[in-house]
Structures are given as C-alpha cells and as structure tokens.
Amino acid sequence: MWGLDITVESGGQKMKLEVKNIRKSFGDKEVLHGIDFQVESGKALGLLGRNGAGKTTTIRILMDVFHANSGEILLEGKKFVPGKHSIGYLPEERGLYPKRTVIDQMIYLACLRGMNPKEAKESAKKWLARLEVSEYETKKLETLSKGNQQKVQLAATLVSNPEIVILDEPFSGLDPVNSQILKDVVNELIAENRIVIFSSHQMSYVEEFCDEIAIINQGEVVLAGRLKEIKKEYGKNRLMLAAEDCSLEELARKVEREWADLARVSDRKKEFLILELKEGADRRGLLAALARSDVEIEKFGGYEPSLNDIFVEKVGEEE
C-alpha cells in the first residue's frame, strides 16, 4: 500500500509526515477504507476525487478535526500532534466572518495560531498586500466581491506562515488575473519547501502545480504516484493521428477497415484520433502502413493523456 509521506524543511529541519491505512466510519458506515498516499517536501500533492469520495474527511483527519477509527499519522516516526505545528487550511466553503473587518479577523486568527498582536498585524498586512487586497483591510468581508473574498480567505490561510498548506478549490470565483496572482503564490509556497496539499476539480491547475497525485474513489486510493510517471504509463502504446484530406470520422473508418490488425481507435479528440496499438504491433509498423496508403498525414506521434483523461478513465466523469 501507499503511505502519505510528507517531508517538510523548516529552518533547516526536515520533517516526515506519514498517514497510513486511515479508516473512518460514521455510525455503521465506513467512509474511508485504508487511505494511503505520499508526497515529498517542496512538491505539491494533488488530492483528487469525485464529490463524496472522501477527500474532505481525509483532510479533516489530518487536521485532527475528525479522529480516525484506525490507522496512524506519524511525524518523524512519532504520533503527529497537529496543534504543535502550523497548518493553513483553505476550505472549499468560506469560513471567515462576513460582518467583521478583514484586518481584525486576520489578526484574530493569527493570534489564535500563536502570533502576538504585533506579529499578527504585520503578517496580515503583508499577505493582504501580496494578494492585492490591502485597500479592503478595513472593510467588512461581506462588502467584497466573491473573488476578493477568496483572496482574503487565502491571506487568512497563510497569515501564520504555516508549514503545511491545504488548499481546497482555491481558484473558486477568481478571474484570470486573480488566478495568476494565486498561481504565483502557490508556486512561491512550493519553492519555499512547504508542504502543499491541493484539492481541485480543475485538473489543469492540478497538472500545473502537482508532482504527485492521489485519486480517491469511494473511500479508497485507486491511483497514486508521480504524475509524470502515471501519464507515461497511461500513454503507453497510444498514438495520436490526424489527416489533412479526410475528417476524423472517415479516418476512424479507415483505421477499422485497413489497419485493424495494427491499431484500434480508443478515443476521439477535437483535432485527432487516439489509437491504441494492438498486441505485437509497433509504431514503426503503423507508420509504414500509413505511408503506403493514400492518407495525407497531418499529425502522428505519441499521445500523452491529460490528467482529466486519467481521472475519467479511473473514476468516471465528475458529477
């Protein structure tokens, strides 16, 4: 089985956090059936799954909001005590106070996490400036736009300079300009060798940030590991093909009629077909067959699946 293996460097000290075989039940219903996955320090982990798969429950156990029925979370081989370490959590649903001013509640939250009022105010102002919402620091949160509320929520997540940062749908409500600001911040956190656990249904963002992924389906980890290696494995024996002189429909019929012993059409994208080589066939043989035909090849080469393709193949479309 995989294990959640998180290493953090803080002030030169390495910390290894392991989450092993976590099980959780609510009443008679077990919702997590032995969750295991891993990520290295300074790299982001993409924690993925359909709605209700168990992602949020896993995160809450890591933060000690819920207690697991069995399994263990260890730090450097000893029981992990979340209260002794700084964890920043950005929930999918906003958790700040709508009728409190932005700066007041950020200072309050920072103090709850161990900062003194002076440190808390300095850090709050720093993060509000970094996320370009300083002008709203004396405003009540409810008066801000959805996008600016999301940026304030992220600033509140980071105000205590956490060692471990957990981001659940962080890009919700952000326009492209604000999304770029958030991308820059996430990359800075990764570059600073913090742990970033990133949960999102927007697979393009996960691909951009995450070296490792873990896909949870119905309370179990069904796929975990380095994204690059997973893509390579899923793309094995798959090719993309397009022709200048015929449509994809016509090209698919040609494949079925003329080269069925070499490949089959496994999927169809907007601009090309995805072919899967038959057992015993290779790319050179298919290319030679294409060259002997009357097809004017426009695109031919190895196919690397997107994370969305892998996700759908593994657990189905997101509801």
Side-chain angles (χ1 to χ4, degrees):
M1 290 187 294
W2 299 289
L4 174 52
D5 182 347
I6 299 177
T7 305
V8 183
E9 289 186 9
S10 179
Q13 181 184 7
K14 285 189 175 183
M15 295 187 293
K16 184 177 181 181
L17 183 70
E18 300 170 277
V19 176
K20 297 181 175 181
N21 198 27
I22 292 296
R23 293 179 178 271
K24 175 63 180 175
S25 297
F26 293 103
D28 295 331
K29 183 179 181 182
E30 186 177 74
V31 296
L32 299 182
H33 314 302
I35 295 295
D36 303 89
F37 46 87
Q38 65 182 15
V39 65
E40 297 176 1
S41 62
K43 297 180 181 179
L45 169 74
L47 187 61
L48 311 175
R50 300 180 69 172
N51 294 326
K55 303 185 303 296
T56 301
T57 300
T58 301
I59 289 170
R60 289 176 177 172
I61 289 172
L62 176 61
M63 295 176 61
D64 205 29
V65 176
F66 292 158
H67 296 293
N69 294 90
S70 62
E72 57 185 354
I73 302 176
L74 304 176
L75 182 66
E76 290 300 289
K78 299 179 181 179
K79 183 178 180 181
F80 175 56
V81 181
K84 294 183 178 179
H85 300 274
S86 181
I87 301 175
Y89 176 44
L90 177 71
E92 182 176 3
E93 296 184 4
R94 294 177 182 86
L96 298 180
Y97 304 104
K99 297 188 181 297
R100 293 281 300 275
T101 64
V102 168
I103 192 71
D104 285 348
Q105 58 186 311
M106 285 190 65
I107 293 172
Y108 171 70
L109 290 170
C111 288
L112 284 179
R113 297 171 189 167
M115 285 186 162
N116 64 48
K118 182 181 178 182
E119 291 173 332
K121 187 174 183 178
E122 289 175 354
S123 184
K125 284 181 172 290
K126 181 193 82 170
W127 281 109
L128 290 173
R130 178 65 188 86
L131 290 160
E132 300 185 5
V133 283
S134 293
E135 62 187 288
Y136 305 113
E137 68 175 48
T138 60
K139 302 289 186 183
K140 291 182 179 179
L141 188 71
E142 64 183 358
T143 65
L144 275 58
S145 68
K146 184 178 179 182
N148 284 327
Q149 286 187 31
Q150 182 73 349
K151 290 201 289 182
V152 170
Q153 183 90 39
L154 180 62
T157 300
L158 302 174
V159 70
S160 62
N161 297 315
E163 300 164 290
I164 300 171
V165 180
I166 303 171
L167 304 174
D168 195 351
E169 296 295 349
F171 291 93
S172 176
L174 297 182
D175 61 33
V177 174
N178 285 324
S179 292
Q180 185 58 53
I181 294 170
L182 179 52
K183 286 180 186 180
D184 292 341
V185 169
V186 173
N187 281 322
E188 288 165 12
L189 294 171
I190 295 169
E192 290 168 359
N193 214 26
R194 305 193 201 200
I195 288 302
V196 179
I197 298 177
F198 189 93
S199 181
S200 179
H201 295 148
Q202 295 172 281
M203 298 296 168
S204 60
Y205 290 130
V206 178
E207 288 192 272
E208 189 168 346
F209 297 121
C210 298
D211 295 279
E212 305 261 349
I213 63 165
I215 298 178
I216 299 176
N217 190 40
Q218 297 181 354
E220 297 180 359
V221 174
V222 294
L223 184 65
R226 292 182 58 81
L227 180 55
K228 185 176 181 180
E229 293 172 1
I230 289 171
K231 282 190 169 191
K232 184 178 179 180
E233 180 64 27
Y234 270 73
K236 187 186 297 182
N237 293 326
R238 293 186 183 183
L239 303 168
M240 54 183 178
L241 176 66
E244 293 182 356
D245 54 350
C246 62
S247 67
L248 293 182
E249 290 76 14
E250 292 171 328
L251 186 58
R253 287 194 291 270
K254 277 183 171 288
V255 172
E256 293 170 1
R257 185 174 61 248
E258 300 179 23
W259 309 301
D261 58 330
L262 298 173
R264 70 176 187 88
V265 178
S266 64
D267 200 358
R268 182 177 303 175
K269 298 298 181 181
K270 185 178 180 180
E271 298 178 347
F272 57 86
L273 299 176
I274 300 174
L275 305 184
E276 185 172 338
L277 290 171
K278 294 289 186 71
E279 186 175 354
D282 59 26
R283 184 187 301 195
R284 290 182 181 179
L286 178 58
L287 183 59
L290 291 170
R292 292 192 297 269
S293 73
D294 58 355
V295 174
E296 189 69 32
I297 299 174
E298 179 183 14
K299 184 178 293 185
F300 179 83
Y303 172 67
E304 181 180 275
S306 68
L307 179 55
N308 188 74
D309 292 336
I310 295 169
F311 183 89
V312 170
E313 184 171 328
K314 201 67 186 175
V315 304
E317 293 279 2
E318 181 67 40
E319 294 175 338

